């Protein structure tokens, strides 16, 4: 797949890059995408939920009233789950929600997501750039020049860590700047547009060549 390279003003530079067919032109596997997104979201969960069982409640162990003759149901403890403030039956306990997926499946899922973006013409390639200073208005101007301000989310993938660009963008909700190593299925699907720098495309090609 051949894509025109843009400059920071949103104009074509005349150069073109060839996006690898093995990444951007495969037949998408929806089930692989489902599993990878499920794992990503599961890994975001802290799993620190906890409710107290009856043996963990602070309270008296005294029998509330005599066993018989009251006309009411028998009761042995104020910590009973039947009473307000008592323990909870089968409540949530701390747990780890993460699970393992094979590297090949995760790679297939990521490539499937990238192929969907390419199929929908939602990929832009920008020449490598940086900001002289950390200013949000510089990043806002970049989005305006590229005409991507109305999209759901803009995902910018840089060839290497680009600190000034990252710090200039992190105060904005509908944008995310990552490196190629951080590229994942969820972020690709969650983005309206995918903006790759020429350095990011080169890094992807080098990773495939290994």
């Amino acid at each position: 797949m051949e894509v025109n390279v843009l400059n920071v003003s949103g104009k074509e530079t005349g150069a073109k890059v060839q996006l690898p067919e093995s990444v951007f032109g495969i037949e998408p596997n929806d089930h692989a995408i489902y599993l990878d997104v499920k794992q990503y979201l599961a890994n975001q969960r802290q799993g620190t939920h906890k409710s107290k069982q009856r043996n963990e409640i602070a309270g008296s162990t005294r029998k509330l009233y005599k066993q018989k003759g009251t006309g009411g149901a028998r009761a042995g403890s104020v910590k009973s789950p039947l009473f307000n403030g008592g323990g909870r039956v089968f409540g949530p306990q701390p747990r780890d929600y993460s699970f393992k997926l094979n590297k090949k499946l995760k790679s297939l899922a990521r490539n499937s997501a990238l192929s969907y973006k390419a199929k929908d013409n939602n990929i832009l390639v920008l020449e490598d750039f940086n900001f002289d200073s950390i200013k949000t208005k510089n990043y806002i101007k970049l989005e305006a020049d590229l005409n991507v301000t109305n999209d759901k989310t803009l995902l910018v993938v840089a060839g290497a860590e680009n600190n000034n660009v990252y710090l200039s963008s992190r105060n904005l909700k509908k944008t995310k700047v990552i490196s190629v190593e951080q590229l994942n299925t969820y972020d690709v699907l969650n983005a309206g547009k995918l903006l790759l720098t020429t350095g990011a495309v080169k890094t992807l090609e080098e990773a495939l060549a290994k």
Side-chain angles (χ1 to χ4, degrees), residues 138-194:
N138 291 341
Y139 191 87
I140 293 175
K141 183 178 184 303
L142 174 69
E143 286 190 339
D145 290 341
L146 294 173
N147 195 26
V148 291
T149 53
N150 295 325
D151 289 305
K152 179 182 174 185
T153 302
L154 177 64
L155 180 63
V156 180
V157 184
E161 288 190 11
N162 200 327
N163 205 44
N164 282 2
V165 176
Y166 166 71
L167 293 175
S168 298
S169 67
R170 67 176 181 174
N171 198 35
L172 302 172
K173 288 184 178 179
K174 291 188 176 182
T175 190
K176 188 171 185 179
V177 177
I178 60 175
S179 63
V180 175
E181 291 75 18
Q182 297 169 316
L183 188 63
N184 63 81
T185 305
Y186 179 83
D187 282 340
V188 173
L189 292 175
N190 195 45
K193 290 280 187 184
L194 179 62

Side-chain angles (χ1 to χ4, degrees), residues 18 49 53 57 63 95 121 132 151 158-159:
Q18 190 72 29
H49 41 47
Q53 301 180 23
I57 297 292
K63 185 171 175 64
R95 57 165 289 195
N121 294 319
D132 294 331
D151 289 305

